[in-house]
């Protein structure tokens, strides 16, 4: 693997961690109870103090950051010949749609 592929894989991994954090917070709050004001203060108490401000509001900064990171990984792997990287590109597009529909 070259440095470009390692960098894009790191971007994809960070975006997946952001998505998993949203899924965990949404599951603890109840997926059907999400409002246009964002997560409740009680739910955000599980997030570390330094990151709590990034999860507040609607759309929050972390959702936008995850969207940007998945976009980067989707388009940077689009021209790769390796099937594993094409799969990651397809997953990135799928997660982009999921973030757009559920968190933005």
């Amino acid at each position: 693997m070259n440095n470009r592929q390692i960098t894009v894989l790191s971007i994809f991994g960070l975006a997946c961690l952001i998505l998993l954090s949203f899924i965990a917070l949404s599951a603890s709050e109840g997926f059907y109870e999400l409002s246009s004001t964002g997560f409740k203060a009680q739910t955000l108490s599980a997030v570390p103090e330094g990151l709590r401000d990034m999860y507040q509001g609607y759309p929050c900064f972390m959702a936008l950051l995850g969207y940007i990171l998945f976009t980067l990984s989707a388009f940077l792997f689009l021209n790769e010949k390796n099937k594993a990287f094409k799969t990651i590109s397809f997953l990135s597009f799928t997660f982009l749609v999921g973030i757009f529909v559920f968190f933005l």
Side-chain angles (χ1 to χ4, degrees):
M1 270 201 274
N2 58 23
N3 287 336
R4 179 180 168 266
Q5 292 170 338
I6 292 171
T7 303
V8 177
L9 280 175
S10 300
I11 290 171
F12 178 75
L14 181 61
C16 285
L17 286 174
I18 291 171
L19 182 63
L20 287 175
S21 71
F22 270 101
I23 290 172
L25 286 173
S26 298
S28 67
E29 191 168 285
F31 287 107
Y32 56 91
E33 296 178 8
L34 290 177
S35 66
S36 62
T37 58
F39 293 110
K40 297 176 186 163
Q42 180 183 4
T43 305
L44 288 176
S45 65
V47 177
E49 187 70 35
L51 297 175
R52 197 170 295 162
D53 290 338
M54 294 182 188
Y55 284 94
Q56 292 177 340
Y58 191 81
C60 66
F61 176 75
M62 290 302 273
L64 296 174
L65 181 64
Y67 196 78
I68 290 168
L69 292 176
F70 275 127
T71 303
L72 281 173
S73 66
F75 284 108
L76 290 176
F77 274 149
L78 200 56
N79 295 332
E80 291 289 332
K81 294 182 180 17
N82 191 343
K83 289 190 184 224
F85 294 129
K86 286 204 179 260
T87 304
I88 289 174
S89 179
F90 177 74
L91 280 173
S92 294
F93 280 116
T94 306
F95 291 152
L96 276 171
V97 170
I99 288 176
F100 184 73
V101 170
F102 295 111
F103 298 115
L104 291 181

